[in-house]
Amino acid sequence: MGCQIGKTNQIQIRSKYNNLVGIKFQEAIENSNPKLKQLQHQWNQFEIKDFGAALKFKQSDPVRFKKYLMNGAISSNRWLLWKVSLFVENIFESGCYEALLKSQHHQFDIEIEKDLPRTLPGHQEFHKKSQALQNVLKAIAIYNNDYVTGMNQVAGFLLLLSGMEEEDTFWMLNYLNINPQFKFLQLYQTNDSQNKGNQFEFVTKLLSIFHKHFKSQMPQLHQHFETQDINQYWYIWKWIFSLFLYTFPFEVVLYFFDFMIANNILAIISLSLALLKHFQSHLLKLNHAEIAQFITQFQECSDVFDRSSHSDHLCVEQIISYATQFHDQLGFQRLEETLQ
Amino acid sequence: MSLGYYDWLVKVIVLGDSGVGKTNILTQFCDSKFSQNYTATIGVDFKIKILNIQDKKIKLQIWDTAGQERFRNITQTYYKGAFGIIFVYSLIDRNSFNNVEGWIKSILESTTDEVCSILVGNKLDSQDRRVQTAEGEKLAQKYNMPFLETSALENKNIQDIFDRLGQNLKIRLENEGQKVSNNTQRQSGQFKLNQEANQTEQPTSSCNSC
């Protein structure tokens, strides 16, 4: 049942890229799916050599810029495109990163240290405590005065993509955070009201948006989840809280990130709805325990890019296509309005 | 008797500071493996395992919780209806031992139900012990619960946690069963007696081992 765990060559492909970083890491993922290599063509017509050129493209043709990024970047331009897409103002300060690393012990040190060996465990860089990850998390925690488990996954993933460039990763996280369409760190913020205890306020809001649309868009599956007593902490909560990294393999999350960064933070919801829609007919056949296993173990899924009719296989293009529809139809382009 | 048959369904939660090995204990117990590749628990996870205690089958629905303070509000919503509690600290993390009483109190405060608990000091494999056995024993005595030192890494005493807990659960459940039959009005939300046990159910399918 479910995703066919550990059976095919997908696992071998993974072992090939799980010791790579940077562009090589992305290329290995690209090569695992010939279909996605075709993305090369859409980008070939543009000369995107540096930040300035990419910014010019975004400013002169924002619609096309967004559309192309949504469909997937390529390894040679992804990091640049993300930076340009998120860019709102220049926050880079030379020497800032080093200065943060020099600061003395900090209240988040212990929590960060505990999370180091348990971040993205599939990848070799993080098998042992990664100094690079420790540095980035420390700097982020001090710069923003916050650290919560979950941030480590996102920081670790960005580190891999950047080729373990700590400072670059640090600033990318901050761009993700200051961009009003994302405000990344609000995912981890709690309100500390006395009577309610601390609650993840923004995540709670996203959850309610998700449940509302889950019910209206897929009533049958929603009903099935209710009957089978499926707990939101098994799936949507983790998908939101770790930007899919807790549950899904890199080759999927990479393209989810392209989609999210081209849009806004509500893209998490579009993608989540798209995933459920993609697996709907399969999930409807499963009972409580089977669903619990299926939706929590995509990490071990093989045949991620299988385009066959198997409804239990992850298919990136299909999911992105559903997510695009949801994002438009549900008015998620209008962030402020939706969050009201 | 079908594979899905069980006498009781019991909710168990595992509590303790971040990084003491809660998830690893459960993975060792449910899937018979120690995973070097594990992620920090965010929110809650759960596993199911059938425990055989003498002639009875207890179906455990075990909730694994995130130890980090920030998730407390979420994990607390799972206290309700829990009948068994496993408190875990790490033998090499003094703070995690000092915080055990805080975890116990959080249970006492939020539920009036009587629960079966057990105290577990994990990471017995490590050379760098910071909490002595006598200290653990004393704490367990104070709260009247059994105590074990374990190693999830070396699979030492892991099964014992659940056997010890299971023994106590069985005694309690049989007593409750008496009470239930003495007073048919009484309905306990904590556990379900002699479930109509969905015959088609695959009881272990939530564990990776199968």
Side-chain angles (χ1 to χ4, degrees):
Chain A
M1 61 145 274
C3 48
Q4 298 174 356
I5 292 165
K7 270 189 191 160
T8 67
N9 59 359
Q10 199 67 42
I11 300 296
Q12 284 160 22
I13 291 168
R14 246 168 248 166
S15 67
K16 272 183 202 155
Y17 68 66
N18 274 347
N19 55 6
L20 301 173
V21 299
I23 288 185
K24 286 212 165 77
F25 171 70
Q26 298 178 47
E27 275 172 352
I29 291 177
E30 252 168 41
N31 291 336
S32 68
N33 182 359
K35 279 278 162 195
L36 289 167
K37 277 203 91 174
Q38 290 178 7
L39 290 169
Q40 200 94 33
H41 298 298
Q42 74 167 9
W43 292 108
N44 274 347
Q45 50 184 314
F46 303 104
E47 285 256 356
I48 303 175
K49 288 223 165 80
D50 53 25
F51 187 82
L55 192 61
K56 205 171 151 193
F57 174 30
K58 178 187 158 187
Q59 284 164 347
S60 64
D61 196 347
V63 176
R64 201 148 58 142
F65 178 88
K66 183 174 162 177
K67 189 174 156 238
Y68 283 16
L69 183 54
M70 261 163 69
N71 289 334
I74 50 175
S75 49
S76 57
N77 65 20
R78 177 172 283 110
W79 192 257
L80 196 59
L81 291 172
W82 285 8
K83 210 182 266 180
V84 166
S85 186
L86 294 170
F87 182 82
V88 276
E89 59 169 298
N90 193 6
I91 49 168
F92 177 81
E93 285 172 67
S94 173
C96 169
Y97 183 71
E98 290 82 3
L100 288 168
L101 290 188
K102 278 188 197 126
S103 47
Q104 292 300 304
H105 290 295
H106 199 263
Q107 56 164 326
F108 302 111
D109 284 353
I110 295 172
E111 284 175 358
I112 289 172
E113 185 145 357
K114 279 181 184 169
D115 287 342
L116 294 177
R118 40 184 200 173
T119 300
L120 306 178
H123 198 283
Q124 220 171 45
E125 282 295 328
F126 304 116
H127 276 183
K128 290 270 164 347
K129 286 181 183 179
S130 156
Q131 186 63 51
L133 181 61
Q134 184 163 27
N135 290 348
V136 170
L137 291 178
K138 180 181 176 175
I140 282 288
I142 300 173
Y143 192 76
N144 299 290
N145 195 27
D146 204 6
Y147 177 76
V148 183
T149 298
M151 286 160 65
N152 58 323
Q153 307 271 359
V154 180
F157 185 58
L158 293 182
L159 257 176
L160 289 181
L161 296 180
S162 72
M164 303 308 279
E165 292 290 334
E166 294 174 29
E167 190 171 358
D168 235 16
T169 300
F170 169 76
W171 289 112
M172 186 65 94
L173 279 162
N174 286 324
Y175 277 115
L176 205 50
N177 189 38
I178 62 150
N179 187 303
Q181 295 292 308
F182 287 91
K183 297 188 194 152
F184 168 63
L185 290 176
Q186 70 184 333
L187 285 176
Y188 304 100
Q189 271 158 14
T190 46
N191 64 337
D192 296 315
S193 78
Q194 283 279 307
N195 42 6
K196 281 201 216 153
N198 42 12
Q199 288 203 342
F200 293 98
E201 208 168 6
F202 186 69
V203 175
T204 307
K205 187 169 259 178
L206 290 183
L207 285 170
S208 76
I209 295 171
F210 165 79
H211 286 299
K212 180 177 130 195
H213 293 297
F214 182 19
K215 194 174 179 182
S216 72
Q217 297 295 315
M218 287 162 270
Q220 209 189 345
L221 186 61
H222 185 267
Q223 180 60 44
H224 186 59
F225 270 34
E226 297 247 298
T227 331
Q228 296 297 322
D229 198 16
I230 300 306
N231 190 301
Q232 65 171 359
Y233 290 107
W234 298 341
Y235 66 112
I236 184 65
W237 159 265
K238 291 192 170 76
W239 298 355
I240 293 173
F241 214 74
S242 69
L243 302 185
F244 303 98
L245 284 158
Y246 195 90
T247 321
F248 295 92
F250 291 134
E251 58 264 50
V252 177
V253 183
L254 188 63
Y255 295 96
F256 284 6
F257 264 64
D258 287 338
F259 183 83
M260 287 189 283
I261 288 174
N263 286 290
N264 55 32
I265 200 148
L266 291 171
I268 307 174
I269 308 300
S270 320
L271 286 163
S272 300
L273 292 169
L275 280 160
L276 292 173
K277 183 171 176 179
H278 179 66
F279 292 118
Q280 179 162 228
S281 58
H282 183 66
L283 287 166
L284 281 169
K285 287 182 239 153
L286 307 181
N287 69 23
H288 171 86
E290 291 164 340
I291 295 173
Q293 186 185 27
F294 184 77
I295 59 177
T296 52
Q297 292 186 5
F298 287 111
Q299 195 69 263
E300 295 164 52
C301 227
S302 59
D303 295 336
V304 174
F305 298 116
D306 196 317
R307 286 167 58 81
S308 64
S309 56
H310 292 281
S311 56
D312 57 344
H313 282 150
L314 282 160
C315 170
V316 181
E317 299 125 288
Q318 182 64 69
I319 293 162
I320 297 287
S321 148
Y322 284 147
T324 309
Q325 289 166 23
F326 279 128
H327 208 81
D328 284 343
Q329 282 167 17
L330 303 177
F332 286 176
Q333 307 289 358
R334 299 182 299 277
L335 178 69
E336 300 281 320
E337 225 172 279
T338 313
L339 288 177
Q340 293 249 310
Chain B
M1 188 185 288
S2 98
L3 277 172
Y5 178 84
Y6 53 88
D7 297 286
W8 297 293
L9 172 68
V10 174
K11 177 174 168 183
V12 174
I13 47 177
V14 188
L15 295 175
D17 276 13
S18 169
V20 297
K22 298 181 290 295
T23 303
N24 280 328
I25 288 174
L26 285 188
T27 313
Q28 188 60 270
F29 174 62
C30 291
D31 313 331
S32 306
K33 67 177 182 191
F34 182 84
S35 178
Q36 297 286 356
N37 294 348
Y38 71 103
T39 22
T41 309
I42 49 176
V44 289
D45 279 323
F46 104 129
K47 285 186 181 292
I48 283 179
K49 178 103 171 172
I50 300 258
L51 189 65
N52 293 307
I53 302 288
Q54 286 133 22
D55 57 330
K56 296 290 186 192
K57 281 183 188 297
I58 306 179
K59 181 170 177 173
L60 300 178
Q61 187 192 63
I62 315 169
W63 293 83
D64 186 14
T65 63
Q68 216 187 9
E69 176 67 35
R70 208 76 71 92
F71 297 104
R72 196 67 71 90
N73 199 54
I74 293 166
T75 53
Q76 269 176 359
T77 57
Y78 286 85
Y79 289 8
K80 195 167 178 289
F83 198 52
I85 322 259
I86 302 169
F87 296 101
V88 187
Y89 65 90
S90 160
L91 293 171
I92 60 172
D93 176 359
R94 186 80 213 171
N95 274 330
S96 74
F97 178 72
N98 296 340
N99 290 336
V100 168
E101 287 206 87
W103 288 107
I104 297 174
K105 279 177 186 144
S106 76
I107 285 286
L108 295 175
E109 277 164 18
S110 62
T111 169
T112 51
D113 302 325
E114 230 180 288
V115 292
C116 290
S117 308
I118 185 165
L119 180 64
V120 174
N122 190 38
K123 305 198 185 179
L124 189 54
D125 48 275
S126 174
Q127 303 301 310
D128 194 22
R129 179 192 276 270
R130 301 288 165 92
V131 185
Q132 297 310 312
T133 307
E135 296 175 277
E137 277 167 351
K138 198 174 154 199
L139 184 64
Q141 249 167 25
K142 179 174 171 188
Y143 290 96
N144 196 23
M145 57 177 92
F147 169 65
L148 278 172
E149 289 190 341
T150 63
S151 164
L153 178 71
E154 294 172 351
N155 194 14
K156 204 168 171 192
N157 296 343
I158 298 297
Q159 180 67 41
D160 301 47
I161 300 173
F162 297 89
D163 288 342
R164 293 282 286 278
L165 188 68
Q167 296 282 358
N168 289 343
L169 285 170
K170 180 173 176 277
I171 296 167
R172 284 287 316 283
L173 287 163
E174 279 168 345
N175 287 341
E176 286 282 334
Q178 289 288 314
K179 277 191 240 161
V180 172
S181 50
N182 289 344
N183 178 6
T184 43
Q185 297 296 324
R186 194 188 140 95
Q187 265 294 348
S188 171
Q190 291 172 329
F191 59 93
K192 292 166 190 164
L193 271 174
N194 226 339
Q195 284 291 311
E196 57 274 26
N198 188 351
Q199 298 293 310
T200 55
E201 197 170 357
Q202 297 165 314
T204 52
S205 58
S206 283
C207 282
N208 297 339
S209 55
C210 47

